[in-house]
Amino acid sequence: MPTLGLFNKEGQKVGDIQLNEQVFAVEVNTDALHQVVVAQLANKRQGTQSAKTRAEVRGGGIKPWRQKGTGRARQGSIRAPQWIKGGVVFAPKPRDYRMSIPKSMRRVAMTSALTSKVVDNNMIVLESLEFVAPKTKEVVKMLNAFDVKKTLIVTAESNENVYKSARNIEGVSVLPVNNINVYDLLKFEKVMITKDAINKIEEVYA
C-alpha cells in the first residue's frame, strides 16, 4: 500500500497518508491512457468548420472564354479551385468528431494516470486547502513552499476562493475532484490534492 507525506499549505509535513493500492498502485496501461486522451481531445472539437466547394460558390456558370483559339489555357468556370474566389478542393464540412470510450477503459486510464503521479513523486497531498478570501499571493506562497510551477490543484468541492486565487497564475489550474480527467492529470507536471479529495477518489475507483 503506497504511503505519501501529508503537508499543510505552508509546505510543512504534518503526517502520512496511506493510499488505496487499487487506485494508486496499479499497472500503468499506456495504451488506455493514449486512447482516452485522444478521445477526450476529439470530443472537445466543435466540428463546425465549413467551406464551399466549386459547386456551392455563387457564380461561374458561364465559360470565361472560348475553348480554343485564344492562346490561353482552357477554363470551364471562374469558380474552379485554381481561381481566386474559387471553390475549395475537398472542402471541410460540419461533422461530429465524438469518440466513445468504454467505462472500463476510462477507469483503467484514470487509475493509471493517478498511479503514474505517485510513482514519479509528482503528487502532493495537502491536509486541507482553505482561503478566507481570494488572494493570489497566498497560492504563489504555497507553490514556492513546495518549489513547484506547472501544477494542477484538486479540491474536494468546488472552492471559489481557491479558484479565484489561482486563475491568474500561468501554468496553474484548479479543479474539483468530480471534474478531474486523464488529460489534465497528464498535462500538468505536479498534482496537489487535498486529503478529502483523495478519499472521494478512493470511494469511486476502489
Side-chain angles (χ1 to χ4, degrees), residues 8-79:
N8 57 24
K9 62 184 179 181
E10 287 76 30
Q12 301 167 340
K13 186 175 180 180
V14 296
D16 292 310
I17 181 173
Q18 288 189 331
L19 305 178
N20 193 310
E21 59 186 10
Q22 295 180 3
V23 182
F24 297 96
V26 301
E27 182 180 354
V28 177
N29 190 323
T30 55
D31 290 336
L33 287 172
H34 177 264
Q35 291 189 53
V36 170
V37 169
V38 168
Q40 191 174 338
L41 293 177
N43 293 343
K44 285 184 176 181
R45 298 183 67 174
Q46 289 183 318
T48 56
Q49 185 183 15
S50 183
K52 292 182 179 181
T53 65
R54 63 182 294 172
E56 297 167 323
V57 179
R58 182 178 178 85
I62 190 172
K63 193 172 175 66
W65 52 76
R66 60 196 177 95
Q67 180 81 348
K68 303 174 74 67
T70 64
R72 290 180 288 184
R74 55 194 174 188
Q75 300 291 331
S77 169
I78 62 171
R79 293 299 179 246

Side-chain angles (χ1 to χ4, degrees), residues 14-156:
V14 296
D16 292 310
I17 181 173
Q18 288 189 331
L19 305 178
N20 193 310
E21 59 186 10
Q22 295 180 3
V23 182
F24 297 96
V26 301
E27 182 180 354
V28 177
N29 190 323
T30 55
D31 290 336
L33 287 172
H34 177 264
Q35 291 189 53
V36 170
V37 169
V38 168
Q40 191 174 338
L41 293 177
N43 293 343
K44 285 184 176 181
R45 298 183 67 174
Q46 289 183 318
T48 56
Q49 185 183 15
S50 183
K52 292 182 179 181
T53 65
R54 63 182 294 172
E56 297 167 323
V57 179
R58 182 178 178 85
I62 190 172
K63 193 172 175 66
W65 52 76
R66 60 196 177 95
Q67 180 81 348
K68 303 174 74 67
T70 64
R72 290 180 288 184
R74 55 194 174 188
Q75 300 291 331
S77 169
I78 62 171
R79 293 299 179 246
Q82 73 270 20
W83 284 70
I84 294 174
K85 298 184 180 180
V88 177
V89 182
F90 305 126
K93 295 296 179 184
R95 55 172 289 192
D96 184 9
Y97 291 94
R98 183 162 295 278
M99 297 174 61
S100 179
I101 295 292
K103 185 182 293 185
S104 58
M105 182 177 288
R106 292 200 303 268
R107 183 187 184 91
V108 169
M110 178 62 74
T111 54
S112 294
L114 292 169
T115 297
S116 68
K117 290 301 178 184
V118 174
V119 171
D120 297 335
N121 294 320
N122 285 330
M123 180 175 286
I124 300 169
V125 183
L126 300 175
E127 185 179 28
S128 63
L129 184 60
E130 293 291 339
F131 296 126
V132 178
K135 290 287 183 181
T136 300
K137 64 181 180 181
E138 292 294 329
V139 176
V140 172
K141 182 180 177 181
M142 179 180 70
L143 296 176
N144 290 337
F146 290 101
D147 192 24
V148 296
K149 293 182 179 179
K150 193 174 182 181
T151 307
L152 175 65
I153 300 173
V154 182
T155 58

Side-chain angles (χ1 to χ4, degrees), residues 134-202:
K135 290 287 183 181
T136 300
K137 64 181 180 181
E138 292 294 329
V139 176
V140 172
K141 182 180 177 181
M142 179 180 70
L143 296 176
N144 290 337
F146 290 101
D147 192 24
V148 296
K149 293 182 179 179
K150 193 174 182 181
T151 307
L152 175 65
I153 300 173
V154 182
T155 58
E157 304 287 347
S158 181
N159 191 317
E160 187 174 1
N161 286 342
V162 176
Y163 170 74
K164 287 184 175 180
S165 298
R167 65 182 174 182
N168 288 332
I169 304 175
E170 185 179 1
V172 177
S173 183
V174 178
L175 287 177
V177 70
N178 59 339
N179 285 350
I180 63 170
N181 55 82
V182 174
Y183 174 70
D184 282 328
L185 286 174
L186 298 180
K187 174 184 175 182
F188 290 91
E189 181 181 355
K190 296 284 186 179
V191 174
M192 302 183 74
I193 185 169
T194 63
K195 180 181 177 181
D196 291 340
I198 289 283
N199 294 334
K200 288 195 172 186
I201 290 174
E202 292 180 344

